[in-house]
Amino acid sequence: MNQFRESMFILSRKFGILNEQSCVNCCGKELSLVQSHILYEVNRQNQPSMQDIASALSMDITTFSRQVKNLIDKNLIKKTPDLKDNRIHILSLTDKGKEIQSKIDLEFNIYLEQVFSQLSEFERDTIIRSIELLNISMNKAEVCCVAALK
Amino acid sequence: MNQFRESMFILSRKFGILNEQSCVNCCGKELSLVQSHILYEVNRQNQPSMQDIASALSMDITTFSRQVKNLIDKNLIKKTPDLKDNRIHILSLTDKGKEIQSKIDLEFNIYLEQVFSQLSEFERDTIIRSIELLNISMNKAEVCCVAALK
DNA sequence: GATATAAACTTGCATAATACAAGTATTAAA
DNA sequence: TTTAATACTTGTATTATGCAAGTTTATATC
């Protein structure tokens, strides 16, 4: 139990560093880690609203609103009013946003390949399935506060 | 590869939320998440210096220095000069710090039990070993920037 | 159809977190 | 005995954060 928490703590931190490094390698100080997360998540989701992304990143909506403004100023994100409900703003990446996003992705994959090259096919599969299994059981367990993330 | 990143992204975020919730449940607004991480890490390591903890949490040393000051003001942490080298300050938890730390631990374990109760003994072991394996291969791979964390 | 309620954001504001530059104090190296 | 390096601290400016209170649009109630 404690062993698990400790390992997860370290893994999380390392994963964070990989993300940070990928972001820095790509864009230096032009883009913060949080902003790169927003690009990542907007790219990942389908026609997401502000709420969708903010809650996926568990960010306060007001903080998020301002970060989106920053990203629009940098011409990385677009905000389109929803046709059915004008309160909702759909987020999407601009061409430049897509470019940056895939550049970060590339940087990340370079690191990831180094990590995975240490492992056998079987180990890789086991790890990926383990992480997915863990996510699933977290979804089941925490109805109250963690269920929102999929 | 992308599947891995996506699952890890979600897992990291959920783990972060569990940590945050444990921290909030324990101490409300008395303690920030970062501060709880410091307590956790000081408790985990043996006679750690400022540098040790700052780098384990990949925090800037100046930011860390100020957070330590906050925690000393809250009477949760002690700073003792190293006998052999007076530049180095060894960190340790005060009694109150230990108390808070184990209270957060308790909160965290309640969540964790809910998660693990969804899983079989075998699944649990596989998950834990997978995460450890992943940590090990990350250590091997990233000599440059991630190797520091153990 | 008018009014009340709620949802999806935005902005004001005060506080906390961050990191660079430049400092002090102590130890190690030349 | 200088010189350099390490371990930390403080000054300062910038950014991030989140609550309160706002606007605008949609939904529910009568």
Side-chain angles (χ1 to χ4, degrees):
Chain A
M1 202 78 147
N2 277 340
Q3 188 51 43
F4 171 78
R5 190 181 180 192
E6 202 165 315
S7 300
M8 265 308 298
F9 197 82
I10 293 170
L11 178 58
S12 262
R13 177 130 294 116
K14 283 182 181 167
F15 184 71
I17 293 174
L18 286 195
N19 276 302
E20 177 114 50
Q21 274 300 320
S22 309
C23 181
V24 168
N25 288 350
C26 167
C27 312
K29 298 199 165 180
E30 290 299 299
L31 200 72
S32 75
L33 182 60
V34 173
Q35 287 168 354
S36 78
H37 283 343
I38 294 175
L39 296 188
Y40 176 81
E41 198 62 26
V42 168
N43 184 61
R44 200 172 73 82
Q45 289 194 28
N46 184 40
Q47 305 267 326
S49 68
M50 303 269 294
Q51 296 277 1
D52 290 336
I53 303 298
S55 85
L57 300 174
S58 42
M59 284 178 73
D60 184 276
I61 188 72
T62 70
T63 305
F64 181 73
S65 176
R66 271 181 262 258
Q67 288 287 15
V68 166
K69 206 179 349 179
N70 291 337
L71 289 168
I72 289 172
D73 289 348
K74 290 179 184 177
N75 189 30
L76 298 175
I77 266 191
K78 261 180 310 197
K79 216 163 61 175
T80 322
D82 188 310
L83 294 173
K84 293 176 204 146
D85 186 337
N86 266 291
R87 291 171 302 179
I88 297 173
H89 288 183
I90 302 296
L91 297 175
S92 60
L93 299 185
T94 63
D95 287 347
K96 192 179 166 199
K98 281 176 199 160
E99 192 189 311
I100 296 285
Q101 159 56 23
S102 65
K103 204 171 156 198
I104 296 173
D105 230 55
L106 215 74
E107 291 286 346
F108 189 84
N109 283 338
I110 293 170
Y111 286 117
L112 213 54
E113 262 162 39
Q114 285 182 48
V115 173
F116 276 171
S117 70
Q118 313 279 329
L119 299 165
S120 72
E121 189 81 23
F122 174 74
E123 288 173 322
R124 237 175 283 185
D125 288 351
T126 306
I127 286 174
I128 291 177
R129 270 185 297 109
S130 288
I131 291 173
E132 277 166 10
L133 185 59
L134 193 49
N135 279 338
I136 290 169
S137 61
M138 275 187 153
N139 273 337
K140 282 189 200 153
E142 279 316 310
V143 187
C144 64
C145 51
V146 192
L149 305 172
K150 284 192 199 129
Chain B
M1 202 79 147
N2 277 339
Q3 187 50 45
F4 170 78
R5 191 181 178 193
E6 201 167 313
S7 300
M8 265 307 298
F9 197 82
I10 292 171
L11 178 58
S12 261
R13 178 129 294 116
K14 283 182 181 168
F15 184 70
I17 294 174
L18 286 196
N19 276 303
E20 175 114 52
Q21 274 300 320
S22 309
C23 181
V24 168
N25 288 351
C26 167
C27 312
K29 299 198 164 181
E30 290 299 300
L31 200 72
S32 75
L33 183 61
V34 173
Q35 287 168 354
S36 79
H37 284 344
I38 295 175
L39 296 188
Y40 177 81
E41 199 61 26
V42 169
N43 184 58
R44 199 171 74 82
Q45 289 194 30
N46 185 38
Q47 306 265 327
S49 69
M50 302 271 293
Q51 297 278 2
D52 289 336
I53 303 297
S55 85
L57 299 175
S58 42
M59 284 177 75
D60 184 276
I61 188 72
T62 70
T63 304
F64 181 73
S65 175
R66 272 181 259 259
Q67 287 288 14
V68 166
K69 207 184 340 181
N70 290 337
L71 289 168
I72 290 173
D73 288 346
K74 291 179 186 179
N75 189 29
L76 298 175
I77 267 192
K78 261 180 307 198
K79 218 164 60 177
T80 322
D82 189 310
L83 294 173
K84 294 175 204 150
D85 186 339
N86 266 291
R87 292 171 303 178
I88 296 173
H89 288 184
I90 302 297
L91 298 175
S92 59
L93 300 185
T94 63
D95 287 346
K96 193 178 164 199
K98 280 177 199 161
E99 192 190 310
I100 295 284
Q101 158 57 23
S102 65
K103 203 170 156 199
I104 296 173
D105 230 53
L106 215 74
E107 292 285 346
F108 188 84
N109 283 338
I110 293 171
Y111 285 116
L112 213 53
E113 262 163 39
Q114 285 183 47
V115 173
F116 276 171
S117 70
Q118 314 278 329
L119 299 165
S120 71
E121 189 83 22
F122 175 74
E123 289 173 323
R124 237 175 283 187
D125 287 353
T126 307
I127 287 173
I128 291 177
R129 271 186 298 108
S130 288
I131 291 172
E132 277 166 11
L133 186 58
L134 193 50
N135 278 338
I136 290 169
S137 59
M138 276 186 151
N139 272 338
K140 283 189 200 154
E142 281 315 309
V143 186
C144 64
C145 50
V146 193
L149 305 171
K150 280 187 200 134

